[in-house]
Amino acid sequence: MKPQKRLVEPFCFPGNHVGCLLIHGFSGSPSEMRYLGEGLANLGWTVLGIKLSGHGTTPEEMSKTRWEDWAGDAEAGVSELRKTCTKVIGIGLSMGGLLALHLAALGLIDGIVSMNSPMLLADRRTRYLRLIRPFREFVGKPKSPKATTASLRSESRSESFQLKPERFVYEKIPVDSLISLNKAIRQVRHQLYKIHCPALLMQSRTDTTVAPISIQIISKNIRARKFEVLYWEHSGHILTLGPERDEVVLKIHEFLQEFCLPES
């Protein structure tokens, strides 16, 4: 199915001297971040929502891309914002959050907002992808097979809250790209100690895609001067489009005000 152009194209909203780099998730598209981006732009912040290589097209196109491609896209986004902004904050959902952590470990950004970022995927079967690679090129979207009935219902309610035109995402995942993501998770996890910038870490408690323990791993290993850990009770994995999305916008706005604006 061909996606609507508005859902998959990157977006940019000019604002003040603080640039917000919005990074969508694995197999997703900028549509996951547009609502958040519009909200932050309305509050005065400069916003750039990028599209990662191989995303927003077809799973076959994504199968040609790897972590190195996506990291390059994120670094290019930082460079673009640096042209007009004195500070850049990486704001990412899922793998987008992993990319924000990667940028912070490299010292390229001034702050992080990490939302449902994976240090461990909930579906343990993703750990054995190399065994099935000779037999399958694509798999379905991973979710925890041991998710509780309550968490699955909560995730379903969160997804049903989303307006259908709001998001474009692949229904099947290239195995090679998923293998690359797993490798990247291990790499970023080993680099967390290099992160010193302010951080806002968010996690949905009923996330069935990313193991909620991920946020504990991040918070225990980063060396940020200041950071906040925030759990969301009613949202699923796509926190930016769930029932608490307006509160998410306000929390990020408060974080940006506290750590990025000069004291009066």
Side-chain angles (χ1 to χ4, degrees):
M1 181 180 65
K2 188 176 181 179
Q4 297 179 32
K5 185 178 180 181
R6 181 179 181 274
L7 294 182
V8 299
E9 63 186 7
F11 52 87
C12 182
F13 307 123
N16 60 21
H17 71 280
V18 177
C20 300
L21 180 65
L22 271 57
I23 316 173
H24 64 78
F26 182 80
S27 80
S29 66
S31 60
E32 298 173 343
M33 308 301 285
R34 181 174 281 274
Y35 187 90
L36 172 61
E38 291 174 347
L40 292 175
N42 288 336
L43 293 167
W45 308 100
T46 293
V47 172
L48 174 62
I50 62 173
K51 182 170 79 74
L52 300 175
S53 297
H55 292 71
T57 54
T58 65
E60 288 73 22
E61 284 297 311
M62 184 181 178
S63 69
K64 303 173 186 176
T65 63
R66 302 291 183 271
W67 168 259
E68 292 77 13
D69 301 306
W70 313 322
D73 297 331
E75 292 171 27
V78 174
S79 297
E80 185 63 27
L81 282 171
R82 290 286 183 199
K83 294 177 181 179
T84 57
C85 297
T86 58
K87 291 186 178 181
V88 174
I89 309 301
I91 303 175
L93 171 69
S94 193
M95 186 183 75
L98 192 71
L99 284 163
L101 292 167
H102 165 72
L103 295 173
L106 293 177
L108 297 179
I109 54 178
D110 304 291
I112 320 163
V113 178
S114 163
M115 298 176 282
N116 294 339
S117 302
M119 289 291 112
L120 190 67
L121 295 174
D123 191 339
R124 295 184 178 182
R125 294 171 295 182
T126 58
R127 304 174 196 177
Y128 308 105
L129 289 168
R130 292 187 182 277
L131 298 178
I132 69 169
R133 179 58 188 89
F135 311 101
R136 298 186 64 180
E137 187 176 354
F138 297 93
V139 293
K141 294 183 70 65
K143 285 194 176 183
S144 174
K146 294 186 177 181
T148 65
T149 301
S151 66
L152 288 171
R153 286 177 178 170
S154 178
E155 181 89 32
S156 178
R157 285 195 299 270
S158 180
E159 290 179 354
S160 65
F161 180 84
Q162 300 169 19
L163 299 176
K164 294 302 181 183
E166 274 194 324
R167 184 180 181 224
F168 175 81
V169 63
Y170 298 144
E171 293 302 321
K172 63 178 183 178
I173 307 297
V175 172
D176 285 339
S177 297
L178 192 49
I179 289 173
S180 183
L181 172 61
N182 274 329
K183 181 180 178 181
I185 290 172
R186 294 192 295 271
Q187 290 176 346
V188 174
R189 185 169 176 171
H190 290 147
Q191 299 297 313
L192 290 174
Y193 73 95
K194 295 182 179 180
I195 296 176
H196 297 275
C197 62
L200 174 59
L201 310 177
M202 300 184 181
Q203 177 65 53
S204 301
R205 288 194 187 274
T206 58
D207 193 338
T208 60
T209 300
V210 168
I213 196 175
S214 292
I215 196 172
Q216 298 175 34
I217 296 171
I218 298 170
S219 63
K220 288 179 180 178
N221 287 279
I222 64 173
R223 298 180 180 178
R225 299 186 301 275
K226 296 181 180 179
F227 70 90
E228 180 181 0
V229 175
L230 189 61
Y231 287 93
W232 298 91
E233 304 295 335
H234 306 295
S235 299
H237 183 60
I238 309 302
L239 179 59
T240 51
L241 293 179
E244 296 165 301
R245 59 188 180 182
D246 290 322
E247 291 91 336
V248 170
V249 173
L250 291 177
K251 274 295 180 181
I252 295 176
H253 173 60
E254 292 171 4
F255 170 78
L256 295 172
Q257 286 184 310
E258 181 175 358
F259 293 111
C260 299
L261 293 181
E263 295 182 3
S264 57

